[in-house]
Each structure stands twice: as C-alpha cells, then as structure tokens.
Amino acid sequence: MKTKPIEQLRREVVSLLDRHKGRIIMICRAYAPEREDLEDCFQDVAARIWEGYSNFRGDCAENTWVYRVTINCAVNYSRRRSRRPRTVRLLDHDLIEEECGNDANTRRLYAMIGRLNPFDKAIVLLWLESLPYAEIAAVMGMTPKNVSVRLTRIRLQLKSMASENK
C-alpha cells in the first residue's frame, strides 16, 4: 500500500475537520463547558483525527468514524481534566468560532446534558444531531433497540432535571 504525501494528508484532514467542525464542537462542549477546555478538547480531537486518518479504511461512514474519535477524545479529556489543576487563558484570541447557539436555553440544555453519565451524554448528543438509531448504535457499539431504550430513559432524566430547575 502506497502512502500519501504529507501535504495531501494535511489537506484531507483539514477538509474533514471543516466538514465536521460543528459536530466536533457540539460534543466537546458537552464534555468541556469552559471555553479554554473546549478549545483544548477540540485540539485533542484534531490531533487524534490527524494521527488516525491514514489508518481510516472506510469500514464505516466518515461521520461515524469522526463521532467515535470525538466522543472517545472528549470522554478522555473530561476524565483528565477532573484530575488536573485549573488553568488560565494564555491567548487573547478565539481558536473556535461560535458554532452552537449561546442563548439561555442552549446553556441550560448543555448544563443538564453535562449532568448525565458520559455514555448517556454521548448518546443524547448524537441524537441531537438527528442521527438515525442505527448510526448511533454503530458509533456507540450497541443495538438500535438499546439506543431507543436508552434515549427514552435519558429523555425522562432530562425532563426531570428541567422540572427541578423551574
């Protein structure tokens, strides 16, 4: 198998990141709600995509692969973040444009999603992206029926959280 020139790989990865930027930010934001953490998490995902891109064989859809990489990175980032001291912002410019709404309802939804366990958080984020149950199942390594059952339970949890906050 012949390897691609590094510049061609770079262009392909940059293009892939551009196509999936909104999805990546949405998932990272749920696991790293602070702006600095969101930027760090996005950078972790970008690095992991860069590292793994040349090995991506196309066994699954590109967006399924990106979701898998992003969710795994975001969960790992969240775990590492909880074990390290708080950091301070060093740069005065934004690395990530605002892709998601930042109104009160969006912030409230993300706060409630943030209270879910990491597995349920990933499922609901994929569902919010309007992915079909079969694709959510492929990303999460479960059956579509299990996705349906989990989403029903997650919706009840979120509804309960919403009524607590009123």
Side-chain angles (χ1 to χ4, degrees):
M1 180 171 114
K2 186 178 177 190
T3 59
K4 296 178 183 177
I6 194 82
E7 186 55 32
Q8 181 183 352
L9 279 174
R10 187 194 70 74
R11 282 192 306 270
E12 289 177 12
V13 170
V14 167
S15 176
L16 180 138
L17 288 170
D18 283 343
R19 286 192 305 277
H20 298 282
K21 182 180 177 183
R23 292 179 175 125
I24 294 169
I25 290 172
M26 183 222 23
I27 292 169
C28 289
R29 181 187 232 181
Y31 289 87
E34 299 297 322
R35 181 70 180 198
E36 295 80 14
D37 290 330
L38 172 60
E39 290 172 358
D40 289 346
C41 186
F42 185 91
Q43 289 297 323
D44 282 357
V45 171
R48 184 69 59 206
I49 286 174
W50 169 255
E51 291 167 1
Y53 183 76
S54 60
N55 296 323
F56 175 60
R57 298 181 311 265
D59 294 342
C60 62
E62 177 184 276
N63 62 333
T64 300
W65 180 74
V66 170
Y67 279 123
R68 283 182 185 162
V69 171
T70 304
I71 288 170
N72 287 334
C73 282
V75 168
N76 289 335
Y77 181 85
S78 177
R79 287 179 185 150
R80 284 192 319 267
R81 182 177 50 114
S82 68
R83 294 185 295 235
R84 72 170 193 234
R86 185 77 187 123
T87 60
V88 294
R89 184 176 179 87
L90 298 176
L91 304 174
D92 11 337
H93 64 281
D94 288 335
L95 296 176
I96 301 174
E97 300 167 18
E98 277 301 319
E99 288 283 331
C100 305
N102 203 17
D103 61 7
N105 287 334
T106 302
R107 287 191 303 274
R108 189 169 156 225
L109 176 62
Y110 270 97
M112 290 185 302
I113 291 171
R115 293 172 50 193
L116 297 171
N117 71 54
F119 195 78
D120 288 348
K121 189 184 300 188
I123 292 171
V124 77
L125 290 172
L126 296 172
W127 177 74
L128 287 171
E129 279 288 297
S130 302
L131 290 183
Y133 286 7
E135 190 166 351
I136 295 172
V139 170
M140 300 303 297
M142 55 196 308
T143 66
K145 179 64 177 166
N146 197 303
V147 169
S148 173
V149 170
R150 296 286 295 238
L151 277 170
T152 299
R153 292 178 185 158
I154 292 167
R155 283 189 212 107
L156 289 174
Q157 275 184 282
L158 291 173
K159 192 173 188 178
S160 172
M161 287 179 207
S163 64
E164 288 172 8
N165 294 335
K166 286 189 176 183

